[in-house]
Amino acid sequence: MERRRSLRVEPSIAYFSMEIGLQNDIPTYSGGLGVLAGDTIRSAADLNLPMVAVTLMCRKGYFRQELDPAGRQIEREVDWRPEQHLTLLPQRVTVSIEGRTVQVQAWRYDVKSLAGGVVPVFLLDTHVDGNAESDRGITDFLYGGDQRYRLKQEIVLGIGGVRMLEEVGYMGIRKYHMNEGHASFLTLELLHRFKKDIEDVWDERLVWDKDTVRSRCVFTTHTPVEAGHDKFPYELVRDVLGEFVPIHVLRELGGQDVLNMTLLALNLSDFVNGVAKKHGEVSQHMFPGYVINAITNGVHSFTWTCDDFRRLYDRYLPGWANEPELFVRVGRIPDEEIWAAHQSAKRRLLRHVKEIAGVEMNPDLFTIGFARRATAYKRADLLFSDMERLKRIGRGRLQVIYAGKAHPRDMNGKQMIEKIVRAAQDLAPDIHMVYLPNYNMDLGLLMASGVDVWLNNPLRPHEASGTSGMKAAHNGVLNFSVLDGWWIEGHIEGFTGWAIGPEPTESSLDQRADAVDAADLYRKLEEVIMPLYYNDRHTWVRMMQNAIGKNAYYFNTHRMMRRYVTEAYIR
Ligand SMILES: *Cc1c(COP(=O)(O)O)cnc(C)c1O
């Protein structure tokens, strides 16, 4: 052990992300992007990769969600004590914001692997004595505030982050990995690092050594729709960032009309990828002229496997947590034991439902789970397109458990939650349905392991990857999903799960998509999935094994990180 530690190489990969899901009670994440970042780091630690990570502090977190009886979302500030989890470092760096010098400090959190690896995470924080009152709040809220606030945060993350890594002594960083465009300002700091001596350069533009910066940068894009990319007007940029690099250079790199953070990263990275094969293609269409690769997301197997299945895997597939390829041998586990582990996970979830929502659900009834950010394109209400039909199909035979937060400014998302709560009242007592408040990592595992089928019906092609279905697969829970994101790759009809709606090659962005998808959803529930659940346990358990042996086997962050290493980091 000691010998190994002394041989540890110095970190050479720096991973930057606006949010990271380190653990459930550190509220520095909001959803998929942050959980992916956490899983990335957990796998990097398991694989002993020489990595460090940088993110923001979020002293006030994202928010804690409460729901009133009508389903109206109430947002509470999160109370947490950073010093219980993190260590404040003595180092300080500064960044310039609106012409003021803003000091940045960092808290350290070590992601430790049971296998011995460690990835240090630095959480940047402007809550420093001497900073102006408004600057002290820059790192308070995740995705809070206006455009100006976001721009300030991204300056702290990108520019402050590169400076902080150097300040704490990491001199050997060879690759900077931007997890989404929020971190793109790190490229500007690197432009300064590699600036050529002005004396012998005749064209001022050649001062900026873009090739060297490019050779250091890796960019993962997560957003399949144009409107989702961070963009800032240049007046705002000039006002907040100043002429950190001349605006005409910035326009060349980040777009003529507005500063597009995705474009900035694209222009200064020599490896760019989308997060599923389909998403790679969609991104390629959005940005012709760039080479966009695809590395499909995964989840950290150990983190997203519930206790019952951990015990089962420990017994039959020892070593699985650090070698998820061993899921290929899932056929060794007896059917009865898989079913017993599943029922145990299901009872645990139903106890939580009883405790939180006061609804008594039956562990022998077919149960659907749906949990994700409440926002329009996820179509959480698709199941209610035809209430009479749903009642006919599900009366006395179906239970549904929902969860998910709406962004505080997403009015459609909030109305969606209210609509589901109303539908629940409408369906009772024929069909038991609940909306559990405050979706977070713990509830995510509880739900993804405790239902029978994991439902996902986004409007294509909006789901870049989706990862909650991969968590379900790790626990033998079957996916029933629209063919978008990762499910295009994971789906084998009637074998690993089921598809909703048409093939992924057909565009769905038209008026009929909802009706077509809803009809297919009802038909398969009624004719295929529920009959199988109630009448053919043997085939059902076979499918659970396929979810583990084919989906969990592949859609994990160990596989994902090995691909980042060979395709992006070592080049
Ligand atoms: C896994 C997870 C997500 C992402 O799930 P998607 O399927 O990508 O929507 C979001 N929030 C939490 C709390 C999670 O655990």
Side-chain angles (χ1 to χ4, degrees), residues 135-315:
D135 293 335
R136 288 159 61 99
I138 290 175
T139 51
D140 274 356
F141 293 101
L142 181 58
Y143 305 132
D146 55 9
Q147 243 189 344
R148 178 176 288 261
Y149 185 73
R150 175 74 72 91
L151 181 57
K152 292 176 186 174
Q153 289 191 321
E154 296 189 3
I155 292 170
V156 171
L157 178 66
I159 298 172
V162 172
R163 293 178 181 174
M164 185 57 80
L165 287 180
E166 196 172 273
E167 188 64 25
V168 297
Y170 295 108
M171 308 308 282
I173 304 296
R174 289 190 308 105
K175 290 286 180 188
Y176 293 84
H177 186 167
M178 292 167 267
N179 186 44
E180 190 55 303
H182 309 128
S184 301
F185 282 138
L186 73 81
T187 60
L188 302 186
E189 176 66 10
L190 294 181
L191 277 176
H192 274 282
R193 298 280 144 125
F194 299 117
K195 202 159 49 176
K196 286 191 188 131
D197 188 354
I198 193 119
E199 297 294 326
D200 46 297
V201 178
W202 55 273
D203 179 349
E204 180 258 344
R205 272 169 225 225
L206 298 183
V207 170
W208 308 102
D209 184 357
K210 292 168 225 158
D211 289 339
T212 301
V213 173
R214 238 176 247 131
S215 71
R216 302 296 177 112
C217 292
V218 171
F219 173 48
T220 302
T221 174
H222 291 260
T223 318
V225 285
E226 186 54 36
H229 299 271
D230 258 351
K231 289 178 196 138
F232 301 108
Y234 280 110
E235 306 84 81
L236 183 66
V237 174
R238 190 175 281 131
D239 201 28
V240 179
L241 181 64
E243 293 251 347
F244 183 60
V245 303
I247 292 285
H248 69 272
V249 175
L250 202 51
R251 279 185 201 269
E252 210 176 280
L253 294 167
Q256 285 302 322
D257 307 329
V258 288
L259 174 59
N260 179 335
M261 297 297 277
T262 301
L263 210 51
L264 180 61
L266 281 172
N267 279 321
L268 288 170
S269 300
D270 82 352
F271 182 89
V272 178
N273 72 290
V275 290
K277 286 187 167 65
K278 170 79 172 180
H279 177 238
E281 290 165 21
V282 169
S283 305
Q284 184 70 77
H285 268 283
M286 217 169 356
F287 299 103
Y290 297 88
V291 177
I292 303 192
N293 304 275
I295 296 180
T296 303
N297 280 164
V299 297
H300 185 252
S301 297
F302 185 74
T303 301
W304 295 108
T305 300
C306 70
D307 287 342
D308 300 283
F309 273 88
R310 280 182 187 175
R311 274 195 291 277
L312 212 52
Y313 298 154
D314 280 344
R315 185 136 112 251

Side-chain angles (χ1 to χ4, degrees), residues 309-483:
F309 273 88
R310 280 182 187 175
R311 274 195 291 277
L312 212 52
Y313 298 154
D314 280 344
R315 185 136 112 251
Y316 290 98
L317 313 169
W320 65 280
N322 210 15
E323 195 179 347
E325 293 88 340
L326 290 173
F327 286 137
V328 76
R329 289 170 64 71
V330 66
R332 296 191 63 221
I333 308 176
D335 286 11
E336 317 78 68
E337 295 196 39
I338 289 198
W339 187 252
H342 173 64
Q343 284 301 96
S344 170
K346 189 169 178 179
R347 281 192 298 271
R348 186 178 313 125
L349 170 62
L350 299 194
R351 276 197 299 277
H352 180 79
V353 168
K354 176 82 179 24
E355 191 185 311
I356 300 295
V359 175
E360 187 102 47
M361 289 190 169
N362 180 347
D364 293 321
L365 286 196
F366 176 67
T367 304
I368 291 178
F370 184 109
R372 45 189 53 83
R373 192 153 50 89
T375 192
Y377 85 84
K378 303 263 193 184
R379 298 191 300 183
D381 58 346
L382 193 73
L383 188 60
F384 315 120
S385 307
D386 182 344
M387 291 292 272
E388 290 316 308
R389 184 157 180 201
L390 179 62
K391 278 185 197 167
R392 211 168 55 240
I393 295 170
R395 185 169 293 132
R397 288 158 55 82
L398 171 65
Q399 305 172 135
V400 192
I401 303 172
Y402 274 94
K405 296 175 180 175
H407 186 278
R409 279 194 306 271
D410 185 351
M411 295 309 147
N412 285 329
K414 290 182 180 181
Q415 281 164 12
M416 188 75 89
I417 299 174
E418 292 170 40
K419 184 171 173 186
I420 295 166
V421 169
R422 272 199 307 278
Q425 290 156 0
D426 225 38
L427 290 168
D430 293 340
I431 296 173
H432 279 319
M433 204 171 92
V434 293
Y435 201 107
L436 297 176
N438 204 35
Y439 186 43
N440 57 22
M441 287 171 68
D442 281 356
L443 184 55
L445 177 58
L446 199 58
M447 285 182 68
S449 62
V451 297
D452 299 303
V453 158
W454 194 250
L455 177 66
N456 189 20
N457 46 38
L459 190 64
R460 295 173 298 127
H462 285 245
E463 189 86 306
S465 162
T467 52
S468 57
M470 305 173 187
K471 300 168 189 168
H474 274 78
N475 298 280
V477 168
L478 303 181
N479 278 276
F480 182 30
S481 171
V482 158
L483 287 169

